[in-house]
Amino acid sequence: MIYCLNGKVLKKTLDTVVISCAGVGYLAQVPLSTAEALPAPGKEATLYTVMSVSENDVSLYGFATEDQRACFKMLTGVSGVGPKAALAILSVMSPEKVALAASSGDHKAFTAANGVGPKLAQRIALELKDKVGKGLAAGTGFAGNVSAAPAPQSAPAQAVAALVSLGYSTSDAAAAVARVDDTLPVQDIIKIALRGLSRA
């Protein structure tokens, strides 16, 4: 399996990237968020990848971060979610937003993605709720993969972990944090979320 590609960006569109590694150009399908995050053609970049091999096709999917890659793999593990739907979700939601939406049962958030209807959105929220909830509660971020090198904890993940340590359920904490601007400092997110929880 190709875990990542490091090389020069040859071409970039809204949903594909061609990256040159050791004289070979690799075409990867990417979410819009990755296309926007990668540098312009001619610049060096790292693309984290997932390879899909079927009877009739070999496809490469690329991501700007390891969290995006982990989120894509988790989404495509949900029954009925193919690579196209997972890319659509990651085009409009960050991995952190996916985790918060799933943990709080906010299935409507997933319908913002092109091609994701209400029924599929409900299935995604239901099947991912426990998986991502454990990672958020542990404060390990989206992937919650303690065997990997620890990634910097995002402010929302730290806030959820702090609220869970205060006795709130993961779903309530995630729902409260999801309503707060995630660019704020952790302490501010916690304070605002606590005010929301006290009114509930």
Side-chain angles (χ1 to χ4, degrees):
M1 178 187 284
I2 301 172
Y3 183 80
C4 68
L5 297 170
N6 189 280
K8 188 181 290 184
V9 176
L10 296 182
K11 186 179 178 182
K12 187 171 77 159
T13 69
L14 294 177
D15 56 6
T16 61
V17 169
V18 179
I19 189 165
S20 175
C21 301
V24 178
Y26 294 88
L27 171 69
Q29 297 177 57
V30 299
L32 177 61
S33 52
T34 290
E36 290 174 340
L38 290 175
K43 304 276 188 177
E44 294 285 320
T46 297
L47 198 65
Y48 297 94
T49 59
V50 173
M51 181 182 275
S52 172
V53 181
S54 66
E55 231 178 278
N56 307 313
D57 183 53
V58 177
S59 296
L60 199 61
Y61 303 98
F63 309 94
T65 67
E66 289 182 276
D67 261 4
Q68 280 188 329
R69 179 183 183 275
C71 188
F72 175 83
K73 291 185 76 173
M74 194 171 281
L75 284 167
T76 53
V78 174
S79 173
V81 178
K84 188 176 178 182
L87 290 176
I89 291 168
L90 287 170
S91 289
V92 296
M93 298 173 74
S94 67
E96 199 63 54
K97 291 289 186 189
V98 170
L100 288 170
S103 292
S104 61
D106 180 16
H107 64 271
K108 288 181 182 176
F110 296 105
T111 61
N114 188 30
V116 178
K119 284 186 179 178
L120 183 57
Q122 287 175 348
R123 190 181 305 143
I124 293 168
L126 185 66
E127 290 193 27
L128 293 188
K129 186 170 185 175
D130 289 339
K131 289 181 182 177
V132 298
K134 288 173 185 172
L136 286 171
T140 54
F142 172 75
N145 186 357
V146 292
S147 62
Q153 290 180 19
S154 68
Q158 290 182 58
V160 171
L163 292 170
V164 169
S165 72
L166 291 173
Y168 293 99
S169 70
T170 303
S171 59
D172 286 347
V177 170
R179 290 191 287 268
V180 183
D181 181 357
D182 61 8
T183 62
L184 293 172
V186 178
Q187 293 302 323
D188 290 346
I189 293 176
I190 294 170
K191 285 176 187 173
I192 296 168
L194 276 171
R195 282 203 291 270
L197 287 163
S198 66
R199 287 195 297 267

